[in-house]
Amino acid sequence: MVTLTAVANDGTYFTSGNQLVPLQETQISVKKEVLTISLRDNGYADVDVYYEFYNPGQVAREVLMGFEAEPPYNDAYEFYPSGVHPYINNFSVEMNGEKISHRNAVAVSNDNELPQIINVNEWNFDVDNGMGMSLTNKTTGEEKSFDYVYYFNARFKPGMNVVHHTYSYCLSVIVGTTWALSYKLSPAARWANKRIDDFTLVIKAENTAKHFIMDKGIFGAGNSFVKKSGLMKMRTLPSRDNFGEGRWEIAMRNGAIQMHVANFRPDAEHELHFSSADEYYCYGSVDGEFHYGAFYDRSSPTYVYMADVAGDHTVVPADKAFRQRICRNLPFAHRGHVFKDAKLKKYFESLFWYMPDPSYKDDMSGFTKADKDVMNHKIGQGFD
């Protein structure tokens, strides 16, 4: 999860995803979770979560369950008393094949507390010197953090139960980072078994390409991603500046990658967080190691423009005409164009994310606005 200090004042942290969790103690255990995150080019991620829960009792058990979403950070510091998060769309839950209606509320908690739904009229909304938000009880003066909660009554029949949960949410934007995604895994410890017996994480980049970094420590030694479909490259990053050992750099296109972990015990120190790889290239590189176009995302051309400026961590081709050719060809290279020109071929093959695809026919029908802007970018104008 992104902390407020990591985001600082230069980015917008919209929210983190979360488990569906009990809002009170329960005997139910979570046997299986398949978390699928689909990365889009519209600034959103689609989240699909399949759960299998086990009720060991002989009778059905009703549990108050909820999805907790942190309030936006550095986004006008508004409070939404309805409990409906401004950056979550299409929230839905099905249980054992039937759709469940949900309600919204605001819940408060402090560290190691279960969230408690409140009457918002009894609390004041506070902004803490621009570094966060909290609620203060009007009667006691107690200050607590809060979440927006989507909650419902779940009826667990004896034995196995299936819950299917979906929503979309806005990816955060941090200075030097095109996008960032956080998902809280640690609340799984609220279930009776204090773990996820069978956990699978699937990351998809369908009809697009994504290039990102992720902390390896989340899943424990020996666990790694495998390719399910499409194209994928992965490596462990070397230690640099602000980035220590233990991060993956992953590039994928038109497909999905998957990781499976048995008896997974997530903790609050290692929540799931990954971000566009420009965070690494902007802050983790050293002089002479960044190459023009080393990061490219179809959702935003900004970093390409910024990389056109020779700075402490930036190395650009001295020949402006060649830089112009790189710009013009970036969207094609991102889709796997196989270059016949020796100079362009050598250059793009030096970029980690480049994965040639002989079947790609230079079809521009799926080009985004960012793709077209980069193709039309004139070296010597705009940001550079």
Side-chain angles (χ1 to χ4, degrees):
M1 153 184 179
V2 177
T3 63
L4 295 181
T5 53
V7 177
N9 288 322
D10 299 314
T12 304
Y13 172 55
F14 292 114
T15 189
S16 64
N18 209 328
Q19 302 279 327
L20 280 178
V21 292
L23 300 183
Q24 57 194 33
E25 292 296 330
T26 178
Q27 299 174 8
I28 310 297
S29 59
V30 53
K31 293 297 183 181
K32 183 176 183 177
E33 177 184 353
V34 180
L35 169 62
T36 302
I37 298 174
S38 298
L39 301 171
R40 306 297 183 193
D41 286 330
N42 62 357
Y44 276 76
D46 297 330
V47 179
D48 184 297
V49 197
Y50 171 89
Y51 295 97
E52 291 180 3
F53 293 100
Y54 183 70
N55 176 7
Q58 300 300 310
V59 297
R61 181 178 176 84
E62 191 165 279
V63 176
L64 184 66
M65 290 180 67
F67 168 88
E68 303 153 14
E70 294 181 345
Y73 168 76
N74 211 16
D75 183 56
Y77 298 108
E78 292 188 45
F79 177 60
Y80 301 88
S82 67
V84 177
H85 198 286
Y87 295 109
I88 291 178
N89 298 328
N90 305 317
F91 182 91
S92 69
V93 180
E94 290 184 356
M95 185 167 188
N96 296 325
E98 296 185 5
K99 188 171 182 178
I100 298 179
S101 60
H102 67 274
R103 291 169 286 174
N104 287 87
V106 176
V108 297
S109 65
N110 281 334
D111 293 341
N112 301 318
E113 288 184 345
L114 290 175
Q116 295 186 353
I117 292 173
I118 61 168
N119 178 351
V120 293
N121 294 322
E122 297 174 356
W123 295 74
N124 286 322
F125 171 60
D126 304 303
V127 176
D128 181 17
N129 296 322
M131 290 303 295
M133 298 184 294
S134 62
L135 296 178
T136 301
N137 188 282
K138 293 179 180 179
T139 302
T140 66
E142 184 178 18
E143 182 179 343
K144 291 193 174 185
S145 59
F146 69 93
D147 290 326
Y148 299 115
V149 177
Y150 296 65
Y151 70 103
F152 53 90
N153 290 316
R155 187 177 185 273
F156 289 88
K157 65 184 181 181
M160 202 66 72
N161 295 261
V162 172
V163 176
H164 184 211
H165 167 46
T166 61
Y167 63 98
S168 297
Y169 79 108
C170 191
L171 297 171
S172 300
V173 180
I174 305 171
V175 61
T177 306
T178 299
W179 57 266
L181 185 149
S182 296
Y183 186 93
K184 287 186 177 181
L185 294 163
S186 62
R190 295 185 197 169
W191 296 100
N193 52 340
K194 309 298 183 184
R195 68 185 186 189
I196 304 168
D197 291 352
D198 187 303
F199 176 73
T200 299
L201 171 63
V202 179
I203 300 176
K204 292 184 176 182
E206 298 171 317
N207 301 313
T208 188
K210 293 296 175 183
H211 179 196
F212 53 90
I213 56 175
M214 178 184 293
D215 185 359
K216 293 175 62 175
I218 302 167
F219 304 104
N223 293 304
S224 186
F225 284 101
V226 296
K227 183 183 75 173
K228 287 188 64 181
S229 60
L231 295 176
M232 172 259 214
K233 293 170 73 174
M234 182 171 70
R235 66 181 177 183
T236 298
L237 291 172
S239 177
R240 293 180 181 174
D241 293 0
N242 300 331
F243 291 79
E245 299 284 354
R247 288 200 178 199
W248 283 308
E249 181 178 10
I250 300 172
M252 54 186 298
R253 184 171 72 234
N254 298 337
I257 60 176
Q258 175 178 297
M259 177 184 296
H260 177 257
V261 184
N263 299 320
F264 181 43
R265 294 182 182 274
D267 66 84
E269 297 298 319
H270 295 93
E271 303 286 15
L272 176 62
H273 173 72
F274 55 106
S275 58
S276 53
D278 46 341
E279 180 180 353
Y280 172 72
Y281 286 105
C282 185
Y283 292 117
S285 59
V286 294
D287 290 351
E289 292 201 17
F290 174 78
H291 294 278
Y292 186 55
F295 174 80
Y296 179 67
D297 193 277
R298 300 177 195 177
S299 65
S300 172
T302 302
Y303 196 65
V304 173
Y305 297 164
M306 296 298 289
D308 207 23
V309 182
D312 290 342
H313 300 304
T314 308
V315 175
V316 299
D319 183 353
K320 284 193 174 184
F322 184 56
R323 282 156 61 190
Q324 189 73 68
R325 293 183 68 197
I326 293 172
C327 262
R328 193 160 53 244
N329 283 281
L330 266 170
F332 295 100
H334 209 233
R335 288 162 172 81
H337 176 84
V338 178
F339 292 94
K340 295 180 180 179
D341 180 273
K343 192 173 182 181
L344 285 172
K345 180 177 184 292
K346 180 179 180 181
Y347 191 86
F348 281 110
E349 286 180 348
S350 73
L351 306 182
F352 173 75
W353 56 259
Y354 177 64
M355 294 176 284
D357 178 7
S359 67
Y360 176 60
K361 303 303 181 184
D362 291 352
D363 179 13
M364 295 177 59
S365 61
F367 275 27
T368 65
K369 182 180 183 301
D371 289 324
K372 295 173 183 177
D373 287 346
V374 166
M375 287 182 64
N376 295 323
H377 174 57
K378 302 299 182 184
I379 299 297
Q381 297 180 7
F383 284 93
D384 61 281

